Amino acid sequence: AYNQAKPLQNGPLLTGWCSWYHYYENISEQNLRENFERLETMNNKVPTNVAVVDDGYMTAWGDWDSLKPKKFTNMDVVARDIASSRMRPGLWLAPFAADKHSEVVKKHPEWIIRNDRGAPANSSNC
């Protein structure tokens, strides 16, 4: 029935920070850690309980478990940094997109959607 839905009540309202809007793809464990620590000190003014690591941690779209060398050692470290700053860790990914040079495309070309001419479909980012 229209407008009969009850409000979602599964915990506190999520308010968060996302790396994309400040760093775009230029993120590292270090600059993220500095932000998480700063956000924790500002929590009484800007309540933030989620931190999302956005695009820039991986070597290519599609290779979501391949971290940029010299910028990241392990996503567990980043998740712990977020949690230690009293926020819930979040991770951005685009599971149905892959860069044409990614390892996943090289290993599984059959996973790529193709148009009527057989050319790979383009997500506009890859």
Side-chain angles (χ1 to χ4, degrees):
Y2 179 74
N3 259 351
Q4 298 298 317
K6 302 233 187 253
L8 181 64
Q9 295 184 10
N10 63 347
L13 178 66
L14 299 177
T15 56
W17 177 86
C18 177
S19 63
W20 181 256
Y21 301 101
H22 184 74
Y23 291 106
Y24 298 100
E25 296 177 352
N26 301 311
I27 59 174
S28 67
E29 278 181 22
Q30 183 58 39
N31 64 20
L32 290 175
R33 181 177 299 116
E34 291 167 3
N35 274 271
F36 305 148
E37 290 170 355
R38 179 75 174 129
L39 284 166
E40 184 178 23
T41 67
M42 297 170 53
N43 201 278
N44 60 339
K45 294 179 185 175
V46 184
T48 305
N49 56 17
V50 175
V52 176
V53 177
D54 207 312
D55 189 9
Y57 63 89
M58 69 288 178
T59 57
W61 281 45
D63 297 338
W64 307 111
D65 59 351
S66 178
L67 302 177
K68 285 184 177 174
K70 299 181 183 176
K71 299 231 179 201
F72 292 91
T73 54
N74 186 311
M75 268 308 181
D76 289 344
V77 171
V78 177
R80 278 194 304 272
D81 287 345
I82 294 170
S84 70
S85 296
R86 299 182 303 150
M87 293 179 287
R88 181 186 298 182
L91 183 65
W92 171 89
L93 51 87
F96 300 108
D99 184 80
K100 62 185 172 185
H101 303 295
S102 66
E103 289 300 312
V104 72
V105 169
K106 291 175 189 172
K107 292 178 182 176
H108 297 284
E110 73 279 9
W111 290 358
I112 305 306
I113 298 170
R114 299 186 178 276
N115 65 19
D116 292 340
R117 293 172 294 175
N122 186 339
S123 74
S124 79
N125 287 314
C126 301

